[in-house]
Amino acid sequence: MTRKLEGKVALVSGSGRGIGREIALKLASEGARLVINDLDAEPAEHTVADILAAGGQAVACIGSVTEADFGDRFVKTALDNFGGIDIIVNNAGYTWDNVIQKMTDAQWEDILAVHLTAPFRILRAASDFIRDAAKREAEAGTPVFRKVVNISSTSGVYGNAGQANYATAKAGINGLTRAMAKEWGRYKVNVNSVAFGLIMTRLTQSLTSGNASVDIGGRTIAVGVQPERLKAAEATIPLGRGGTPEEAAGAVYMFCIPESNYVSGQVLVCGGGRP
Ligand SMILES: NC(=O)c1ccc[n+]([C@@H]2O[C@H](COP(=O)([O-])OP(=O)(O)OC[C@H]3O[C@@H](n4cnc5c(N)ncnc54)[C@H](O)[C@@H]3O)[C@@H](O)[C@H]2O)c1
């Protein structure tokens, strides 16, 4: 059976863990060749190894998406190893919550840097290749649809107390999505966002699980949710529970396949029925 993404080249940021890892595995299982990125080398190499073990193709591009030259490095890794770019998923990120009176400038700036500035730079870095490839393909009469999926959050669509930084960044990425859908329509690039509700990863683990912090660039940041808040959140979800990373990846996958070639500039909420 022909796989949906045979031979496509997909770049997924933050694909060492959680939702990004599942997106990468899903795209690879449908035949895509993957550039895996993560801040942390070990989980990234693990994702690469799992794809290779399943008979797929993948390489790692380790480092923080917030490094000024990261976008260029990410794009170069794809071009050097696989000779093209078909799918870009801007997924890397974390939360660093606080009420506004306690939110530091670093908290504000770092969250905007990872969720908004980094995706902008990655897309800018890919723009020369995309424009040239689209022109070549149009002249040859063999047009190719390319896909950008930006990961947003219901926090960015509806707001969330304690997340002024994150909600702003995730709303911003939806603006970038809509602008790029208009700018790159002429190059046959579909640009969409997926805004997740509650997905069960380390970011949303119950605080009773004992691992409620992440190390980001040498800084230890508390993550996780109070068990009673988690329960209350789940009670408001029509499907009755948080989503799995595999289910989250499914929503992104829908925007990567040819069946969605006429869908662009959209923000899809993937939240188990909760608006
Ligand atoms: N889990 C949820 O409920 C939820 C809800 C809405 C949106 N999201 C978004 O989904 C995306 C993935 O989150 P997740 O829940 O899978 O978290 P996760 O922590 O399980 O995985 C995120 C991965 O991104 C990596 N990462 C973080 N900062 C990075 C950086 N600067 N450069 C490169 N890699 C970096 C981490 O090391 C980690 O491996 C994030 O953008 C997050 O904001 C998650």
Side-chain angles (χ1 to χ4, degrees):
M1 206 175 79
T2 321
R3 296 183 292 178
K4 295 251 183 208
L5 302 175
E6 201 64 62
K8 299 286 185 192
V9 179
L11 293 72
V12 184
S13 68
S15 45
R17 297 187 186 84
I19 298 167
R21 171 180 156 84
E22 292 306 323
I23 294 168
L25 296 179
K26 177 68 184 166
L27 301 182
S29 75
E30 289 295 333
R33 297 172 287 167
L34 266 295
V35 182
I36 301 299
N37 154 262
D38 208 280
L39 189 58
D40 301 323
E42 203 185 311
E45 298 292 1
H46 194 210
T47 304
V48 169
D50 286 347
I51 292 172
L52 298 180
Q57 292 184 55
V59 293
C61 179
I62 311 293
S64 175
V65 294
T66 60
E67 288 159 15
D69 67 342
F70 177 78
D72 296 323
R73 220 158 46 77
F74 207 19
V75 163
K76 189 172 181 328
T77 306
L79 298 180
D80 288 353
N81 287 276
F82 301 131
I85 297 170
D86 297 288
I87 297 167
I88 299 174
V89 182
N90 279 309
N91 166 80
Y94 58 96
T95 48
W96 194 7
D97 298 351
N98 225 332
V99 288
I100 195 163
Q101 66 273 23
K102 293 185 184 163
M103 188 171 283
T104 63
D105 283 357
Q107 254 171 311
W108 175 264
E109 282 157 12
D110 288 8
I111 289 297
L112 259 74
V114 71
H115 290 285
L116 190 53
T117 307
F120 152 70
R121 288 198 186 126
I122 289 167
L123 298 185
R124 184 178 60 183
S127 63
D128 281 350
F129 170 81
I130 286 175
R131 190 188 56 244
D132 294 349
K135 281 186 179 159
R136 251 192 338 268
E137 289 151 4
E139 277 162 23
T142 53
V144 173
F145 280 85
R146 291 186 168 79
K147 312 282 187 173
V148 173
V149 187
N150 292 320
I151 301 306
S152 183
S153 164
T154 48
S155 183
V157 180
Y158 307 113
N160 196 19
Q163 292 193 320
N165 53 357
Y166 183 72
T168 301
K170 289 303 200 186
I173 193 89
N174 295 339
L176 181 65
T177 290
R178 294 186 179 109
M180 293 314 299
K182 293 195 170 171
E183 199 166 316
W184 280 359
R186 74 187 74 164
Y187 302 138
K188 298 196 160 36
V189 185
N190 304 130
V191 188
N192 292 291
S193 285
V194 177
F196 293 121
L198 178 65
I199 306 295
M200 305 318 296
T201 68
R202 67 177 187 160
L203 289 188
T204 50
Q205 66 192 303
S206 168
L207 283 175
T208 50
S209 71
N211 295 312
S213 65
V214 295
D215 289 321
I216 301 285
R219 196 183 261 143
T220 301
I221 293 174
V223 294
V225 187
Q226 296 288 354
E228 57 280 6
R229 280 195 65 190
L230 206 55
K231 235 174 136 195
E234 286 187 321
T236 66
I237 300 170
L239 288 178
R241 58 176 177 81
T244 65
E246 292 83 352
E247 289 170 325
V252 174
Y253 172 67
M254 294 195 310
F255 282 136
C256 296
I257 56 179
E259 283 83 346
S260 60
N261 281 354
Y262 201 62
V263 183
S264 199
Q266 302 305 303
V267 178
L268 173 74
V269 172
C270 173
R274 192 176 63 180

